[in-house]
Amino acid sequence: TFQRQLQQSDCQNTLMKKVFDTHMLFLQINQSAAALKHVFAALRLFVGKFPSAFFQGQADLCGSLCYEILKCCNHRSRSTQMEASALLYFFMRKNFEFNKQKSIVRSHLQLIKAVSQLIADAGIGGSRFQHSLAIINNFANGDKQMKNVNFPAEVKDLTKRIRTVLMATAQMKEHEKDPEMLVDLQYSLANSYASTPELRRTWLESMAKIHARNGDLSEAAMCYIHIAALIAEYLKRRGKTNILKTSYSSVNITVE
């Protein structure tokens, strides 16, 4: 009934946000497995009808949906895991098609961010979540329509990166009482996302919190300086500012 209004401004409008938030409530409030099956079907229809709401403009809706679906991938019900994995695969495929079969950059970025958040919020990463990742890979390998494009390889790379984050986090948990080792692991993870500033920022913020908690205020300040440099360089490349006089890689500040 309100399709025209929902599609205004490339689906970046208040009504779309309200409809999306209503869909999300069904995932945020505990439901039966039978109810969730219908919720996932509704979301597939929603994403299919309004892909630009997720893959164009602001990434807020994409990030929120990725977060909630990943939570369901860790669900105790096998049927819900399967439904969530199928929806996530469908979502990535829609992203690939929306980008004219070039990449799934947005869903890749938002999924890795969501995993990073969920590790702290919900403790994902066990056998249930690993099972869901395997299901997604199986979907990619068995999708005959995608055999001759690089989509299956992109899905495989994404699930591999998710596992890398999970493994690194497990190592961090082992060394949680060794602040220096913990920060070293976080630094390595941040460096692995040097080409993805938003994720690098996420891990640098996490490092800053650890330093601040341990009373290492100068080290925490250094992390925030690196974050500021990342943002400044991004703004300069987008033509938003001319304040940056040096590249991020040359930031080198000594704290006396």
Side-chain angles (χ1 to χ4, degrees):
T1 304
F2 298 99
Q3 186 162 334
R4 182 175 58 81
Q5 292 95 319
L6 287 166
Q7 289 176 329
Q8 286 179 354
S9 304
D10 291 324
C11 298
Q12 309 294 314
N13 58 72
T14 305
L15 181 60
M16 173 60 75
K17 182 71 166 64
K18 289 180 178 179
V19 173
F20 174 78
D21 286 346
T22 304
H23 278 82
M24 290 298 95
L25 276 174
F26 287 105
L27 295 179
Q28 291 162 353
I29 299 171
N30 287 336
Q31 309 287 344
S32 67
L36 281 173
K37 187 173 182 179
H38 295 289
V39 174
F40 290 131
L43 283 168
R44 281 196 296 273
L45 181 63
F46 189 62
V47 172
K49 267 185 173 289
F50 306 106
S52 57
F54 302 96
F55 309 127
Q56 191 169 301
Q58 295 294 318
D60 297 354
L61 302 192
C62 181
S64 298
L65 183 58
C66 288
Y67 182 91
E68 297 299 337
I69 299 175
L70 283 173
K71 269 206 308 188
C72 292
C73 286
N74 201 43
H75 201 276
R76 61 181 177 275
S77 165
R78 276 299 172 99
S79 63
T80 299
Q81 284 180 43
M82 177 63 78
E83 291 284 348
S85 301
L87 175 58
L88 194 54
Y89 178 76
F90 173 80
F91 187 72
M92 290 189 288
R93 182 171 169 172
K94 276 293 173 187
N95 188 184
F96 189 72
E97 291 169 353
F98 188 83
N99 286 346
K100 299 178 181 178
Q101 298 195 340
K102 292 179 181 176
S103 70
I104 56 169
V105 170
R106 172 162 290 194
S107 54
H108 183 127
L109 173 61
Q110 295 305 319
L111 283 165
I112 294 292
K113 275 190 71 178
V115 167
S116 304
Q117 292 166 345
L118 279 165
I119 286 167
D121 297 347
I124 64 169
S127 59
R128 290 188 303 218
F129 191 75
Q130 294 289 351
H131 177 69
S132 293
L133 293 179
I135 291 171
I136 293 167
N137 270 328
N138 288 338
F139 279 135
N141 293 331
D143 194 338
K144 293 180 180 178
Q145 293 181 332
M146 293 287 168
K147 286 288 184 186
N148 298 319
V149 293
N150 67 337
F151 178 65
E154 292 219 16
V155 173
K156 186 177 180 180
D157 177 60
L158 173 57
T159 54
K160 183 180 178 182
R161 282 182 175 268
I162 289 174
R163 287 193 174 99
T164 299
V165 171
L166 293 173
M167 286 173 59
T169 306
Q171 286 182 308
M172 289 176 200
K173 197 166 185 179
E174 288 178 19
H175 297 284
E176 61 187 354
K177 293 184 180 179
D178 183 349
E180 291 183 0
M181 186 65 181
L182 183 59
V183 170
D184 277 345
L185 289 167
Q186 292 227 343
Y187 182 68
S188 296
L189 198 54
N191 281 344
S192 70
Y193 286 101
S195 60
T196 315
E198 196 167 350
L199 289 174
R200 190 178 178 89
R201 175 188 170 182
T202 300
W203 290 107
L204 284 168
E205 284 176 340
S206 183
M207 286 171 61
K209 288 175 184 176
I210 293 170
H211 281 312
R213 192 165 62 237
N214 294 325
D216 300 324
L217 300 184
S218 60
E219 286 82 353
M222 180 65 78
C223 290
Y224 286 121
I225 288 168
H226 277 273
I227 291 169
L230 271 175
I231 294 170
E233 184 167 347
Y234 172 79
L235 290 172
K236 185 185 180 187
R237 288 179 178 178
R238 293 290 299 272
K240 302 290 184 181
T241 180
N242 60 1
I243 62 170
L244 190 68
K245 302 299 183 185
T246 183
S247 70
Y248 169 66
S249 59
S250 67
V251 172
N252 184 14
I253 300 170
T254 302
V255 180
E256 292 293 338

